[in-house]
Amino acid sequence: MSTTAPQFFPDAHDLIMNNPVIQNVQGDFHQYNGDPDGVLELELNGLLVAHGASYNTAKQCLAGTRTDVLAEIEHWARSTDADVPRVFWLNGAAGTGKSAIAHTIAHKFDQSKELGSCLCFDRTYLAERRHEKVFSTIARDLASHNPGIKRDLADAIRERSWLKSTQDIIQQWEHLLVKPAARLSNGGTILLVVEALDESGDAHSRSHLLSILARRAGELPSNFRILLTSRPLVDISEALGSSSHVISKVIDDIPKSSSDHDISTYISRRLAQVNGFFLDDSKLQLLVDRSEGLFQWAFVACEFIQGSGKFSSPETRFVKLTNSPTTRSVTTLDTLYDTILEEMHADNDEDDMQVFRSVMGQILALREPLSLSGLKTIRKHFPSGLVDADDISSVVKHMGSLLSGITNDSIPIRPLHSSFHDYLTDRSRSKAFYIDTSLHRNDLAFSTLQVMKAELRFNICGLESSYLLNSDVPDLAERIKQSISSAVSYSCRYWTAHVEATVFDSEVANQVREFFNRKFLFWIEVLSLIKSVQIAAPALSSIMKWITVRPLTQFYHLGLHIDDWRYIGSRSMQRYP
């Protein structure tokens, strides 16, 4: 048969295909060999999705805990009652175990092939703007399980090509999700999980999402269910609290006896075989009482008792936890964080405290978490000669109960729970341990520019030919892994955000000028390799604004040159979509 050329043959004509072998094609085209599913995959390539945002089995509830609320959610999700609300909103304070329940449900429904999609928000990844990719991500996940959805999604994008990159979640909802989902109306339960909505950004960033969930969830087929978790922030509560489409379950309403039983089970299993520590019934009850129903408290406390303390034994750390004051007007978690950090700094050395603030400031000020090796590389390029890259290891090695990634150089280091981030960045709560992230803006702007200055080079991955598309290089992923470090990848993606966040600084501006004179094209090359070239034009716009609004005329012409580079960046987006 002869047909018109699909999108991946943009300049081809007189195309002849036969089950699904391409027999003839005239004009310019990209070579394709495969089946119809492969054709559709090419059509969907580049759809705006949130990568790495699904559930994590390591975050599930401990077996035998939270059984009542898990059963309640499962019953709701599988109900065939036509009047059952489509959205189940599980809400409660930080540390109450909402995330563990969501990850457990997502995993269970995935195993039974009833999970349509799971998207988890995380404040440490705000720069990824996941709130702009919610429904396109869900649609892409559904398409990966259903060929019909995949065809419908490809048809929608073929008809409206801008849908592939739109940040308009209303358009995503209508064209990428609701219409394709209609073909799944006769099947069994399809569960969509949206976890930690309160970590999606500010109230404005999620206003349209909340409006859709509260008012339009009924537009999905009746077998679709949406499990949503969040803290009860004002904007979320106002949007969802009175909606007929929403069941609101306050996790604090779970009977105390049930929560205490689950926490007791958890602590018993975690501390049963800790060297140098015997957990008897009185100690167990004391820890359960101190947790006040917060699973996060129990988790951090067990990590602290089990971990290698800076000065003390497990028994001593237990005593510190259970003897810490409880009458202050602070939360239970704050008291726990106070105890752990005071243990780390028992000698009250002000130099050590300065290093702690510097290291944690760097970690919290990043736009996305970096591994230990990435953090060290960035830190080596700080403008101050007083910092030491090894400071990071000396600080984080004692923080296993509070941070992830401290034992593996390749795992990003980040707070294990959002409440620890909140604690550190609120002076009234953390006091001596307060972290002012604004103090690290200049350091990160300068260091990301320096990382690129040191490591960007022509043909960074050593490709044999510049005529091949990235997709045609068979070992490109391995080349990128070997040649582009996490620090380089981070710097290329976020240097403009760090520069824009600073008050204008002539030293940083000089580094920007040198970057454009020497490294600009190498930067574009790396962005294309790591599939981030779409950020080039808006990134350059932000830098041009940062330069040209300043009264320092010696940098004004740099802003004009950046406008020329921005044009090149926008052309690169067309060449490397």
Side-chain angles (χ1 to χ4, degrees), residues 6 8 35 42 49-50 80 140 143 156 186 274 357 370 470 518 527 529 559:
F8 51 91
D35 55 31
L42 285 173
V49 297
T80 57
R140 187 66 180 87
N186 295 323
V274 176
R357 295 188 192 103
L370 281 173
N470 291 342
R518 298 176 180 270
L527 290 182
L529 290 167

Side-chain angles (χ1 to χ4, degrees), residues 251-270:
I251 202 166
D252 297 337
D253 291 344
I254 296 174
K256 183 177 184 298
S257 58
S258 176
S259 293
D260 285 353
H261 173 270
D262 291 344
I263 289 174
S264 177
T265 301
Y266 176 82
I267 294 173
S268 296
R269 296 185 189 178
R270 286 291 308 272

Side-chain angles (χ1 to χ4, degrees), residues 524-556:
I524 292 292
E525 178 190 5
V526 169
L527 290 182
S528 73
L529 290 167
I530 62 176
K531 299 181 180 180
S532 296
V533 76
Q534 73 278 359
I535 73 172
L540 293 174
S541 294
S542 69
I543 290 298
M544 185 175 70
K545 181 179 179 182
W546 183 80
I547 289 287
T548 56
V549 298
R550 309 301 169 179
L552 302 179
T553 56
Q554 66 265 38
F555 295 107
Y556 181 78

Side-chain angles (χ1 to χ4, degrees), residues 352-366:
D352 285 350
M353 283 295 294
Q354 291 290 350
V355 172
F356 167 81
R357 295 188 192 103
S358 175
V359 168
M360 289 307 302
Q362 177 186 347
I363 291 171
L364 297 182
L366 290 173

Side-chain angles (χ1 to χ4, degrees), residues 94-239:
T96 50
K98 304 180 299 296
S99 293
I101 293 169
H103 287 270
T104 302
I105 288 290
H107 178 57
K108 188 165 188 174
F109 276 69
D110 195 14
Q111 287 185 312
S112 61
K113 300 189 184 305
E114 297 171 288
L115 181 68
S117 180
C118 177
L119 190 151
C120 303
F121 287 104
D122 185 332
R123 74 173 58 201
T124 57
Y125 289 94
L126 283 178
E128 293 184 0
R129 304 184 69 81
R130 290 178 179 177
H131 63 279
E132 297 174 349
K133 308 170 185 178
V134 174
F135 298 125
S136 54
T137 299
I138 291 173
R140 187 66 180 87
D141 287 344
L142 291 173
S144 68
H145 300 304
N146 187 285
I149 293 286
K150 186 176 290 186
R151 287 193 296 272
D152 291 346
L153 201 55
D155 288 343
I157 291 173
R158 199 177 298 125
E159 182 179 346
R160 297 177 175 87
S161 60
W162 49 267
L163 284 172
K164 184 178 285 190
S165 58
T166 185
Q167 299 169 355
D168 183 343
I169 66 167
I170 296 175
Q171 298 288 348
Q172 292 177 18
W173 169 262
E174 294 175 351
H175 299 292
L176 300 181
L177 184 55
V178 172
K179 290 181 180 179
R183 69 164 56 242
L184 301 176
S185 59
N186 295 323
T189 295
I190 297 175
L191 179 67
L192 311 177
V193 178
V194 179
E195 205 274 304
L197 180 60
D198 53 291
E199 297 191 38
S200 63
D202 59 21
H204 175 74
S205 69
R206 57 178 169 261
S207 60
H208 291 306
L209 175 57
L210 285 171
S211 177
I212 290 171
L213 292 172
R215 302 175 185 176
R216 303 183 63 178
E219 295 175 11
L220 289 172
S222 60
N223 57 322
F224 272 67
R225 301 287 186 270
I226 302 173
L227 172 61
L228 177 69
T229 70
S230 78
R231 290 181 292 171
L233 302 185
V234 173
D235 64 305
I236 300 176
S237 297
E238 289 179 349

Side-chain angles (χ1 to χ4, degrees), residues 490-520:
Y490 179 90
S491 297
C492 286
R493 287 178 292 128
Y494 295 117
W495 72 271
T496 57
H498 287 303
V499 170
E500 187 183 20
T502 65
V503 176
F504 184 84
D505 182 274
S506 59
E507 186 175 1
V508 173
N510 281 323
Q511 292 298 319
V512 171
R513 178 175 13 222
E514 185 174 355
F515 166 81
F516 282 106
N517 288 338
R518 298 176 180 270
K519 300 293 183 177
F520 175 80

